[in-house]
Amino acid sequence: MKLTPLIRKSLLSLCVLSHLGCSANSLTAASTAKPQMRSNTLASAEIRPVAPVVNVASPEIAATMPEFLSELRNQPAVIGGIASVALNSRSATSPKVLYEQRRVLVLREGQQWWAFVGIALSTKAGTHRLVDQDTGETYNFTVQAKNYPAQRITVKNQRHVNPNPEDLQRIQQETQQIQAALATPWRATEVSPLPLEKPVAGGFSSPFGLQRFFNGQPRKPHSGLDISAPQGAEIHAPTDGIVVNTGDYFFNGNTVFLDHGQSVVTMFCHLDQILVKEGQRVSKGQVIGLVGKTGRATGPHLHWSVSLNKSLVDPKLVLRE
Ligand SMILES: [Zn+2]
């Protein structure tokens, strides 16, 4: 394996999830085309509908912004990052705020509402817009470009670079399932789904956003964070959630998706064992699986992706170590 000097030092083992970037790139279009995915749609992707956590009669609970997220407001809105937008709404309950027709995370700090918007790596720099569905008020915000480092990887198995037609058919089906899991229907939460705790002990290997070249061929960027951990290490739920999907995927290997509410979904890949079932509620810290190297991985580690409003963002932005 040949790597750029920039990242060679920190890289112990990595996964090669180029297709996830591919999914991310198509997420925007998918979210525009199908802004209101329902559980019957998800059922076709073999994801069991789950019961709402909150009382149906009062679904718009106002979740308070944890102090941790104050830091996020100082971060620039870059591709692969999170835009923080102050809202003018004085609503007592959570305003319904849409970005590209998809509802976004909204938290309250005192009387002030803030929207936290996931910016996919495929997003173009420039002016973007939020809409408060209740008042019709719009908010422009600026997304800045960001140059992520390049990573050059040599893999022996050509199917992992250029999958055969059978592989492609499987990958296509799985991409739909992955998109459906990330687009799990909106679920109000009593507490903020962020920040997240580190799901497994270990150092970071491949960071989020790397531009990837496999055997010299450009592929989609690294849309998650790799954490080095030995085979069999326990993976913990980074906060309370509901298991929306589990499966064995061509690239990802054994995978678990957790819905943490307000369109925050996390994904855990290459597991040796999955220890939860679809529809199951999990508490922060609960063991959901064991680290492995299933799927397209060069060694045991956890590939962890974090999605806000169906946009994969840098997990480090919302990670409380
Ligand atoms: Zn990875």
Side-chain angles (χ1 to χ4, degrees), residues 15 17 222 226 301 303:
C15 64
L17 297 177
H222 189 228
D226 288 356
H301 72 285
H303 171 101

Side-chain angles (χ1 to χ4, degrees), residues 165-319:
E166 202 175 298
D167 297 334
L168 285 172
Q169 196 173 16
R170 180 181 167 187
I171 292 163
Q172 195 174 19
Q173 286 172 352
E174 293 181 353
T175 298
Q176 289 175 3
Q177 291 180 319
I178 291 166
Q179 289 185 9
L182 295 176
T184 190
W186 178 267
R187 183 168 66 82
T189 53
E190 293 182 28
V191 296
S192 170
L194 301 177
L196 302 172
E197 305 286 336
K198 200 174 178 186
V200 67
F204 301 122
S205 44
S206 287
F208 173 90
L210 293 173
Q211 304 175 60
R212 287 185 148 174
F213 297 84
F214 289 91
N215 299 355
Q217 298 182 46
R219 288 293 181 267
K220 300 300 177 187
H222 189 228
S223 55
L225 172 66
D226 288 356
I227 304 174
S228 297
Q231 181 96 9
E234 291 182 337
I235 300 165
H236 304 268
T239 192
D240 295 351
I242 296 175
V243 181
V244 287
N245 178 270
T246 65
D248 177 13
Y249 292 100
F250 182 79
F251 291 118
N252 298 13
N254 290 324
T255 299
V256 172
F257 291 85
L258 297 181
D259 165 29
H260 304 291
Q262 293 211 52
S263 201
V264 176
V265 177
T266 58
M267 177 176 75
F268 308 82
C269 302
H270 308 309
L271 275 53
D272 183 57
Q273 281 184 53
I274 294 171
L275 299 176
V276 288
K277 291 198 162 31
E278 288 172 22
Q280 182 180 338
R281 292 186 187 190
V282 295
S283 304
K284 181 166 76 176
Q286 186 173 336
V287 177
I288 59 169
L290 304 179
V291 167
K293 54 179 180 180
T294 54
R296 200 169 60 168
T298 61
H301 72 285
L302 175 66
H303 171 101
W304 184 39
S305 284
V306 173
S307 170
L308 273 68
N309 49 274
K310 209 184 174 194
S311 301
L312 298 171
V313 301
D314 186 349
K316 276 192 173 175
L317 292 172
V318 296
L319 178 63

